Amino acid sequence: MSLLETLGDVCVLGFGKTGVSVCAYLLQQPEGRVSSITLVGGADATVGEKVQGLADSGVQVQCGSDQVEGTFDLTIASPGIPDTSELFLSAKAASKQILGEPEFAYQESPTQWIGITGTNGKTTTTSLTTSILQYAGLDACAVGNIGFTITDQLSERKSNSWFVAELSSFQLATTQKLHPHVAMLLNITPDHLEWHGSLEAYAAAKEKIFANLDVNDLAIVSDLDEFCLAVSSRLEARGISVCHLAQTDPGTQNAAFVRNGALVVRLSGKEMELVATDALHIRGMHNALNALAAAACGLFLGIDIVSIRHALLDFMPLEHRIEPVKTINGVLYVNDSKATNTDSVEKSLTSFPDKDIILLLGGHDKGTELDKFAQKVSATCAYAICFGEAGPRFAEALRHVSGGRAEVVEEPHLREAFAHAVELARPGFVVLLSPACSSFDEFSGMAQRGHVFKQLVEDLAQEESGR
């Protein structure tokens, strides 16, 4: 049952997928619930085919200015619009209430939510959690930042289904009543600082996932960084049950950790050993922690251990996330295009112990501090091939590391970087695209970058097979 009854005059911010989805949902509402719908794109927006289709269906469309015209009972904002922007503030001033899209979706359908956030690992953990629920025969749908707009799923949602929501800091920044039954915080490392303004503001947005938890709920929180540790302390001071996510046993009543090479979850003092870490298809300690978070959620919900084990053992790497593409002439090519920040790359590098790694690094420069990252790469990799807009800055940081083993190479684009990697690689090497940057200097997004890399690998395989 919706927490919102009559919606009245509604403004929707953003011409992208989320804005279009929200408008389509509003158009489906019973007569009298929505008085009018106004879709506002902002100063730089242009009317495309989907927006024109909404206009033809009766949606009023505004663009060409960041000043919102009219007055509204409710504004629903797309997550990519900062709450400090002129467009957001103008809409807020013109509205009785302003909500982000996940908050609106929650208020429309506020039962059986699982919320997952963190700088890295969200999508893998969301997919794994959904898989565990589905293995147990539950109706579950992965929604949110994973690529499926939550509002899109509202009309078809069954009363007994679970929403497993991957929630970005952008989406959480405007939440108010969002109340998952299980909420996870996987990690907090510097990212999206240009949007939030500071690391502290970014961390505060992440922490909002726990704002409405009560004693009947479970928080699953990493012990691996100072921000998460502080969040755990605040939650426990509120009387919230916290499952500590750690590499080794933290000794708490609720914990998820690795012991003797196996995944172990302890809830209310009861301990359950799940599967061996090396039996997982997903590589690295960070993915073992992702699996632990998903398993702890499943056990808390009462799912049987056999279903959880099967789900963990069957789960395959997601596209663009440490995705093995192919082995050619003894060289493994791995697509980790989703690694758009330095912390994510550092985790990926742990996935190939005792291997010679050729790291493809670069893209659109986020301006991240590189000193510690450069030391890690230089100590771990045989070669670092730096490309794209950020290539020169990454190469300079790596060359300043004293005593590092990585040989540094610069190339203008991904294609040339890949060709150089092929020349350098020897049997037993790993060629890893894990760029630590967004892709917008050369590609439309990280997915296109990953697809181009995979096509380069396929072309190489065909070339080698024809020799």
Side-chain angles (χ1 to χ4, degrees), residues 326-366:
K326 191 161 282 188
T327 299
I328 305 170
N329 296 334
V331 178
L332 174 62
Y333 292 84
V334 180
N335 169 27
D336 193 35
S337 184
K338 184 66 171 63
T340 58
N341 57 64
T342 55
D343 182 69
S344 185
V345 177
E346 288 185 31
K347 288 181 169 65
S348 299
L349 291 174
T350 68
S351 301
F352 306 97
D354 305 319
K355 292 285 187 181
D356 286 309
I357 299 172
I358 301 176
L359 179 64
L360 306 186
L361 190 65
H364 174 69
D365 198 341
K366 290 184 174 182

Side-chain angles (χ1 to χ4, degrees), residues 441-457:
D441 60 332
E442 188 176 351
F443 304 103
S444 62
M446 71 86 190
Q448 188 195 25
R449 175 172 61 192
H451 288 143
V452 168
F453 176 80
K454 289 166 73 173
Q455 188 59 55
L456 290 169
V457 175

Side-chain angles (χ1 to χ4, degrees), residues 86-234:
E86 184 180 351
L87 178 62
F88 187 98
L89 294 173
S90 175
K92 185 176 181 180
S95 306
K96 293 179 182 177
Q97 182 178 197
I98 188 165
L99 304 174
E101 183 265 342
E103 176 68 24
F104 171 70
Y106 174 79
Q107 294 199 27
E108 286 290 275
S109 184
T111 58
Q112 298 199 168
W113 282 62
I114 296 164
I116 300 168
T117 196
T119 306
N120 299 304
K122 296 186 296 296
T123 301
T124 296
T125 306
T126 300
S127 299
L128 250 174
T129 303
T130 306
S131 180
I132 286 171
L133 269 61
Q134 290 172 344
Y135 258 85
L138 300 179
D139 192 294
C141 181
V143 296
N145 199 54
I146 197 168
F148 303 107
T149 307
I150 309 172
T151 307
D152 266 346
Q153 311 300 317
L154 288 176
S155 299
E156 299 177 5
R157 190 183 191 193
K158 300 172 184 175
S159 59
N160 64 340
S161 70
W162 284 91
F163 269 178
V164 185
E166 177 187 332
L167 298 168
S168 69
S169 56
F170 304 156
Q171 292 170 314
L172 287 165
T174 51
T175 53
Q176 298 172 13
K177 297 181 179 179
L178 177 74
H179 183 172
H181 186 38
V182 180
M184 307 183 199
L185 176 60
L186 303 173
N187 43 62
I188 294 178
T189 58
D191 203 11
H192 303 303
L193 302 191
E194 73 284 358
W195 198 93
H196 291 282
S198 68
L199 180 56
E200 289 71 23
Y202 171 64
K206 294 286 191 188
E207 190 173 356
K208 289 189 76 174
I209 198 168
F210 303 113
N212 297 306
L213 263 60
D214 60 36
V215 294
N216 299 307
D217 305 316
L218 180 68
I220 300 172
V221 186
S222 168
D223 275 2
L224 296 184
D225 63 72
E226 60 179 288
F227 286 100
C228 289
L229 287 169
V231 169
S232 292
S233 296
R234 287 190 285 270

Side-chain angles (χ1 to χ4, degrees), residues 13 22 25 42-43 49 73 78 131 141 245 250 258 295 307 347 356 365:
L13 295 185
V22 171
Y25 176 78
E49 184 179 341
D73 297 295
S78 299
S131 180
C141 181
L245 192 61
V258 177
S307 293
K347 288 181 169 65
D356 286 309
D365 198 341

Side-chain angles (χ1 to χ4, degrees), residues 40-80:
V40 181
D44 299 327
T46 56
V47 176
E49 184 179 341
K50 290 183 178 179
V51 173
Q52 185 59 54
L54 292 170
D56 294 341
S57 299
V59 175
Q60 300 171 51
V61 174
Q62 296 180 18
C63 62
S65 172
D66 284 335
Q67 291 301 309
V68 176
E69 298 176 10
T71 56
F72 305 95
D73 297 295
L74 171 67
T75 287
I76 303 164
S78 299

Side-chain angles (χ1 to χ4, degrees), residues 302-324:
I303 292 174
D304 65 281
I305 197 168
V306 174
S307 293
I308 292 173
R309 284 173 175 155
H310 278 300
L312 294 175
L313 292 172
D314 286 354
F315 189 79
M316 301 301 292
L318 300 175
E319 189 176 24
H320 313 305
R321 293 162 178 83
I322 322 183
E323 175 196 8

